[in-house]
Amino acid sequence: QVQLVEFGGGSAQAGGSLRLSCTASGSTYSTNCMGWFRQAPGKEREGVADIDLAGTTTYADSVKDRFTISQGNARNTLYLQMDRLKPEDSGMYYCAARFPSVGPPLRRAAYSFWGQGTQVTVSS
C-alpha cells in the first residue's frame, strides 16, 4: 500500500552536513507515521528518527541535537537533515513507515514499509 524511495545519500567530511529525502506513494501513505533507520556493515539496523501524525519527533540519543526529521505538508515527502556528521554516522539509511497505533517509534518491528536505502559515508 505504501512505496518509499530515498534520495540524497553521498559522502561528506566529518563535521559536514547532508540532507536525505524520501518520497512516499500509495493510497494510505498519509495515514502512516514515518521514520529513518540506518545500518552500518556488521551491525543491526537501528532507528534514527521518527515523526508521528501530530508532528511529534523522536530521535536516537546518538543523533539528538544533530539530526532533524521533517515532512512535507501532504506527507508525501520525508526529510532528514544531518549536521555535524561523524564517521560513525556512516551506513545505509532507510526510510520506513508504520501505522500510528503501532509502536514504539524507532523499533524496527513497528514499521511495515521500507525503502531500498541510500548510502551515507562520512570521512574523518
Side-chain angles (χ1 to χ4, degrees), residues 6-119:
E6 302 94 338
F7 301 93
S11 62
Q13 297 293 317
S17 298
L18 286 172
R19 186 193 187 206
L20 306 182
S21 61
C22 170
T23 57
S25 61
S27 61
T28 64
Y29 73 85
S30 63
T31 65
N32 284 273
C33 305
M34 291 190 286
W36 290 95
F37 283 69
R38 68 186 182 189
Q39 187 168 22
K43 294 186 176 181
E44 295 184 357
R45 193 171 300 184
E46 63 176 348
V48 175
D50 178 276
I51 185 166
D52 68 13
L53 296 180
T56 302
T57 57
T58 304
Y59 297 94
D61 289 342
S62 59
V63 306
K64 191 176 181 65
D65 299 324
R66 298 190 299 118
F67 290 10
T68 303
I69 187 171
S70 61
Q71 60 186 20
N73 291 335
R75 302 194 78 256
N76 65 324
T77 306
L78 182 73
Y79 303 98
L80 184 68
Q81 179 67 43
M82 305 186 294
D83 297 319
R84 305 197 307 279
L85 285 163
K86 303 176 180 179
E88 52 262 44
D89 293 321
S90 297
M92 187 72 72
Y93 281 70
Y94 299 89
C95 178
R98 63 180 174 90
F99 295 108
S101 61
V102 177
L106 304 188
R107 297 297 181 92
R108 190 174 188 272
Y111 296 78
S112 299
F113 309 99
W114 297 85
Q116 295 300 306
T118 185
Q119 182 69 44

